[in-house]
């Protein structure tokens, strides 16, 4: 299994600023994922982050707005840039665990609740 | 493309059984998951089933998978007020990409 620590757990930010969310996994993992959960909605995948390569973004999400870093096999950051109230959501980090491409169960951090004012 | 659907709301009385249903479209799904999200909290993995299984039981939880109909269900026996939450069905597509696609979520309300 993989234990994911995500911080901050919540933040209130001014519009126009940026927030960087950190995700630390207790073991080396190949793939890490960032999701967004807008109020009352399900989870939507923002991007997939592989170590050593640029993140792969889903339709509707762009690198300028959601830059991602993946400096090593246990850590990733997601920045939400130029914040607007529409960015108020829960952001979750996830991994499917393991340092292989074998499919495994998915683990999630506790999420970061962002409120933009 | 992948699509996972659930009914939005379920209300049961304390002590009764709850059954939350889910349908999915991608037959290449490898893992199917049930997550629980309590108000203001993150996602808790409740249980999962591998696609070559029909059933999995874990204490009060029973997962049934009908691959032919692409139907997944979660049964909670002796439902308690602490089970009130949103339950997400999710699937993980086989292969190296491994992203998880979530259903719309079912809000379970347990009436004392």
């Amino acid at each position: 299994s993989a234990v994911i620590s995500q911080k901050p757990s919540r933040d209130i930010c001014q519009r126009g600023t940026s927030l960087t969310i950190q995700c630390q996994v207790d073991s080396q993992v190949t793939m890490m994922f960032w999701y967004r959960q807008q109020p009352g909605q399900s989870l939507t995948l923002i991007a997939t982050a592989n170590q050593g390569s640029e993140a792969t973004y889903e339709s509707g999400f762009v690198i300028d707005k959601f830059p991602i870093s993946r400096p090593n096999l246990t850590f990733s950051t997601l920045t939400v840039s130029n914040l607007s109230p529409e960015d108020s959501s829960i952001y979750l980090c996830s991994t499917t665990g393991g340092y292989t491409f074998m499919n495994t169960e998915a683990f999630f951090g506790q999420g970061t609740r962002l409120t933009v004012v | 493309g992948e699509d996972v659907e659930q009914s939005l709301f379920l209300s049961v009385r304390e002590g009764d059984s709850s059954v939350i249903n889910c349908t999915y479209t991608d037959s290449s799904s490898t893992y199917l998951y049930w997550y629980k999200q309590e108000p203001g909290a993150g996602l808790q993995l409740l249980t999962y089933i591998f696609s070559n299984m029909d059933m999995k039981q874990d204490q009060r939880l029973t997962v049934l998978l009908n691959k032919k109909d692409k139907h997944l269900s979660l049964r909670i026996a002796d439902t308690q007020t602490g089970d009130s939450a949103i339950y997400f069905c999710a699937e993980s597509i086989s292969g190296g990409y491994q992203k998880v696609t979530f259903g719309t979520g079912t809000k379970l309300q347990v009436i004392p």
Side-chain angles (χ1 to χ4, degrees), chain A residues 31 33 35 37 41-43 45 48 56 58 90 92 96 100-106 108 110 113, chain B residues 30-31 33 35 37 40-43 45 48 88 92-100 102-104:
Chain A
M31 306 181 86
F33 305 88
Y35 289 83
Q37 186 181 23
Q41 303 293 316
S42 186
L43 283 79
L45 181 65
T48 302
T56 303
E58 297 296 302
I90 299 173
L92 295 108
T96 48
T100 71
F101 284 98
M102 297 275 295
N103 205 351
T104 66
E105 57 193 277
F108 284 82
Q110 286 303 300
R113 183 179 293 272
Chain B
T30 307
Y31 275 82
Y33 310 87
Y35 287 88
Q37 186 177 43
L43 281 176
L45 176 64
Y48 64 94
F88 289 97
S92 179
I93 311 301
S94 61
Y97 194 46
Q98 297 182 25
K99 72 173 186 177
V100 179
F102 284 83
T104 47

Side-chain angles (χ1 to χ4, degrees), chain A residues 46-110:
Chain A
I46 297 171
T48 302
N50 275 349
Q51 191 265 338
S53 63
E54 288 214 1
T56 303
Y57 289 83
E58 297 296 302
S59 175
F61 297 96
V62 295
I63 187 170
D64 290 347
K65 176 68 175 176
F66 298 99
I68 287 171
S69 79
R70 182 79 202 274
N72 57 52
L73 290 169
T74 63
F75 188 78
S76 178
T77 67
L78 169 74
T79 299
V80 189
S81 304
N82 190 23
L83 290 168
S84 68
E86 292 71 35
D87 295 320
S88 297
S89 296
I90 299 173
Y91 292 85
L92 295 108
C93 169
S94 171
T95 181
T96 48
Y99 185 46
T100 71
F101 284 98
M102 297 275 295
N103 205 351
T104 66
E105 57 193 277
F107 302 94
F108 284 82
Q110 286 303 300

Side-chain angles (χ1 to χ4, degrees), chain B:
Chain B
E2 313 93 18
D3 197 15
V4 182
E5 301 212 351
Q6 303 174 237
S7 53
L8 290 179
F9 188 76
L10 176 66
S11 180
V12 299
R13 295 205 172 273
E14 189 174 19
D16 288 350
S17 292
S18 309
V19 180
I20 303 171
N21 294 301
C22 170
T23 57
Y24 61 98
T25 57
D26 198 315
S27 57
S28 62
S29 300
T30 307
Y31 275 82
L32 294 131
Y33 310 87
W34 284 104
Y35 287 88
K36 178 183 180 183
Q37 186 177 43
E38 295 179 88
L43 281 176
Q44 175 192 357
L45 176 64
L46 283 179
T47 187
Y48 64 94
I49 190 167
F50 196 60
S51 58
N52 66 355
M53 299 167 65
D54 297 323
M55 185 182 86
K56 182 178 181 181
Q57 188 155 4
D58 184 1
Q59 299 181 331
R60 292 191 298 125
L61 305 178
T62 302
V63 178
L64 294 177
L65 175 61
N66 182 329
K67 278 197 76 173
K68 175 175 169 291
D69 295 338
K70 298 191 183 71
H71 183 265
L72 183 74
S73 68
L74 173 69
R75 179 177 180 269
I76 305 173
D78 186 25
T79 312
Q80 303 297 308
T81 54
D83 295 324
S84 293
I86 299 175
Y87 290 80
F88 289 97
C89 165
E91 61 174 356
S92 179
I93 311 301
S94 61
Y97 194 46
Q98 297 182 25
K99 72 173 186 177
V100 179
T101 301
F102 284 83
T104 47
T106 299
K107 185 172 184 177
L108 174 64
Q109 179 188 48
V110 182
I111 303 167

